[in-house]
Amino acid sequence: MAAEYDEHWVYGPDYIPWMSGRIAEALRLAPTDRIADIGSGTGLFAREVAKQLQPRQPILCVDPSEAMLSQLGTPPPGDLTPIVASAEDIAEGRTRLPYEQLDAMWLKESVHHVADPAHTLRGLADRLAPGGRLLVVMLPASIQYPLFEAALERFEELQPDPAVVEGHLGAAGLEAGLSYVEHELRIDRDKYFGMVRARYMSLLSTFSDSEIEKGIDEMRVAHPEPVLVFPDRFAFVLGRRRGESA
């Protein structure tokens, strides 16, 4: 999965720069900030943020998968530092970070993998310096993707409500707010079917191979057009620790 991640999990050439720019903008990142990407995977977004920001200290790419982090390169770029750890490891202090405190961190579409979001987000908030920011990027409670019906229904069953996550950040002592950003996606139909077959969304891993193929047949009938056009909408849940910025 790690070796094919960038191929199957990226919609097109504009997506990574767009999302990385929105993350940097929401967090109001500065080159002097101590930054972590929690659940970074192969570092797709951290790499682009580093390219745009030119940070003075490496961005920490935190992920429990060594295979994912190995995609950063050997050795990794000087502006990225891999950390093999889960969000829970960081929240509980089981993994020591190079920085005593963080000025900014983000979790991009990984909060639904956390067993106890309220507890883990509180622990991550405790790692913030005064004025530090924590951003949770997640899909909204419902989506308009061209998936098969059973997948869309299961998404709504499994997806956490961004408003609940906003409440978790507030309970963790952060000034919390919720906003949305949207990006129009245009993707070749056959490529998208291949992404579904590769289970590019975690919810698709709950379907068997035969169910996936049946779903793709359903999608093929519903979407005969060669290029799929649909909105990609994200909830940005931002929390800020009170006090002056570091």
Side-chain angles (χ1 to χ4, degrees):
M1 177 175 165
E4 298 179 347
Y5 189 89
D6 292 2
E7 176 186 350
H8 288 304
W9 276 255
V10 177
Y11 291 110
D14 299 333
Y15 175 69
I16 299 299
W18 172 79
M19 175 55 74
S20 301
R22 298 293 74 72
I23 289 172
E25 181 182 301
L27 285 168
R28 298 184 179 180
L29 295 181
T32 53
D33 284 338
R34 298 158 294 178
I35 303 167
D37 177 357
I38 309 294
S40 67
T42 62
L44 278 172
F45 300 100
R47 190 188 306 273
E48 182 65 26
V49 168
K51 179 181 171 184
Q52 295 179 14
L53 187 67
Q54 298 291 301
R56 295 182 191 170
Q57 301 173 89
I59 296 176
L60 306 182
C61 293
V62 179
D63 199 275
S65 169
E66 285 190 62
M68 285 285 195
L69 291 174
S70 71
Q71 300 299 306
L72 292 175
T74 307
D79 51 10
L80 301 176
T81 295
I83 305 285
V84 181
S86 66
E88 291 90 343
D89 291 334
I90 305 303
E92 298 290 342
R94 292 192 291 263
T95 299
R96 188 171 181 84
L97 298 177
Y99 311 134
E100 193 64 35
Q101 293 181 310
L102 292 162
D103 300 302
M105 69 177 91
W106 73 81
L107 292 84
K108 165 73 167 62
E109 289 189 88
S110 59
V111 73
H112 58 282
H113 294 302
V114 174
D116 186 346
H119 181 75
T120 298
L121 290 172
R122 180 184 291 275
L124 293 176
D126 288 344
R127 308 274 86 78
L128 291 174
R133 291 85 64 203
L134 168 58
L135 175 66
V136 178
V137 179
M138 59 190 296
L139 291 171
S142 62
I143 53 175
Q144 298 178 49
Y145 289 11
L147 291 168
F148 53 98
E149 195 62 36
L152 292 171
E153 291 174 359
R154 190 158 299 172
F155 176 86
E156 294 190 9
E157 293 170 7
L158 299 175
Q159 181 66 5
D161 187 336
V164 172
V165 174
E166 180 187 14
H168 292 335
L169 294 186
L174 305 182
E175 296 173 347
L178 170 61
S179 61
Y180 290 87
V181 300
E182 191 170 300
H183 180 65
E184 183 182 79
L185 292 175
R186 291 177 174 271
I187 184 164
D188 179 85
R189 185 181 75 145
D190 290 338
K191 178 182 178 182
Y192 189 70
F193 291 170
M195 291 167 64
V196 171
R197 195 171 279 116
R199 294 172 170 82
Y200 85 106
M201 296 180 73
S202 57
L203 77 93
L204 294 171
S205 65
T206 66
F207 293 95
S208 68
D209 287 349
S210 61
E211 287 172 330
I212 289 286
E213 291 306 320
K214 182 181 176 183
I216 289 174
D217 287 341
E218 178 188 319
M219 292 161 58
R220 187 173 283 113
V221 171
H223 299 281
E225 64 273 21
V227 177
L228 304 177
V229 181
F230 57 98
D232 206 14
R233 193 165 186 253
F234 290 92
F236 273 36
V237 192
L238 180 66
R240 182 181 180 278
R241 180 162 295 292
R242 294 170 180 86
E244 294 182 4
S245 296

